[in-house]
Amino acid sequence: MPLTEIAPKQKDKISKKLFQFNFHLKQNDQIGLIFFIAFIISTSLIWYFDQRFDSETWKTQPLSRYEMVDDILYKDLFLDNTKEEITDKLGGPDEYHTKNKDAFIYYLGHEPRFSNQELMEFILIFKDGKVIKMDMQPRLQK
């Protein structure tokens, strides 16, 4: 039966039921939904504000390298690259490893934290002319 042939009182009841949305959750479900939404928002914000690796920024702004090193390590961007490819992308190393000439060291600067304000360094270790390991560690003061 079309809606135009229904009595006015019944029309109101039907239209109210069509457009009324009763959303009742148990307390546990509400808490779970709040945590899920908070997780999605925080993950999105972390991803949005996380610095991606950019070769020019790495070379020109050495104090902000710490922002890009997570991207480099997470994506294994330089594994199996040669020394020439590394110097093209990162510039010359700030230092060579003293024990091992097959390691480049790049200074990362200070990561903004409330505790532990030590300088960090990014190390690339080479074997047979290619990067086999990348690591980040506290910089040794000389």
Side-chain angles (χ1 to χ4, degrees):
M1 176 186 310
L3 209 55
T4 54
E5 298 176 11
I6 299 176
K9 284 187 178 181
Q10 287 180 328
K11 258 190 198 179
D12 290 340
K13 284 183 181 179
I14 292 173
S15 63
K16 282 182 182 177
K17 285 183 180 180
L18 287 175
F19 298 109
Q20 185 180 14
F21 182 66
N22 262 341
F23 190 69
H24 294 287
L25 289 176
K26 294 179 183 176
Q27 187 174 8
N28 289 342
D29 294 337
Q30 289 175 351
I31 292 170
L33 182 63
I34 289 169
F35 279 117
F36 178 72
I37 291 170
F39 171 76
I40 296 296
I41 290 171
S42 64
T43 304
S44 301
L45 289 174
I46 289 170
W47 180 85
Y48 180 76
F49 288 109
D50 195 24
Q51 180 77 20
R52 308 293 182 270
F53 172 74
D54 177 56
S55 182
E56 279 306 308
T57 306
W58 181 275
K59 293 176 188 176
T60 59
Q61 299 175 10
L63 294 178
S64 64
R65 289 177 178 171
Y66 67 88
E67 297 173 355
M68 294 180 267
V69 78
D70 288 335
D71 190 44
I72 293 170
L73 292 171
Y74 179 72
K75 294 179 182 175
D76 291 331
L77 288 179
F78 301 126
L79 282 182
D80 295 325
N81 284 9
T82 64
K83 290 182 181 182
E84 294 79 24
E85 291 171 328
I86 295 299
T87 53
D88 286 343
K89 294 174 185 172
L90 300 178
D94 296 320
E95 185 180 319
Y96 294 94
H97 200 280
T98 54
K99 295 178 187 172
N100 182 2
K101 293 290 182 189
D102 274 350
F104 287 178
I105 298 174
Y106 293 92
Y107 302 142
L108 299 177
H110 288 285
E111 187 171 354
R113 292 187 191 171
F114 291 113
S115 64
N116 196 5
Q117 289 290 326
E118 59 191 356
L119 291 170
M120 300 297 285
E121 61 187 15
F122 177 59
I123 301 175
L124 296 161
I125 300 173
F126 296 89
K127 184 175 182 181
D128 299 327
K130 293 192 175 196
V131 177
I132 59 166
K133 184 178 178 185
M134 300 180 296
D135 197 13
M136 185 173 73
Q137 69 181 26
R139 186 171 153 200
L140 300 173
Q141 299 297 324
K142 296 180 180 181

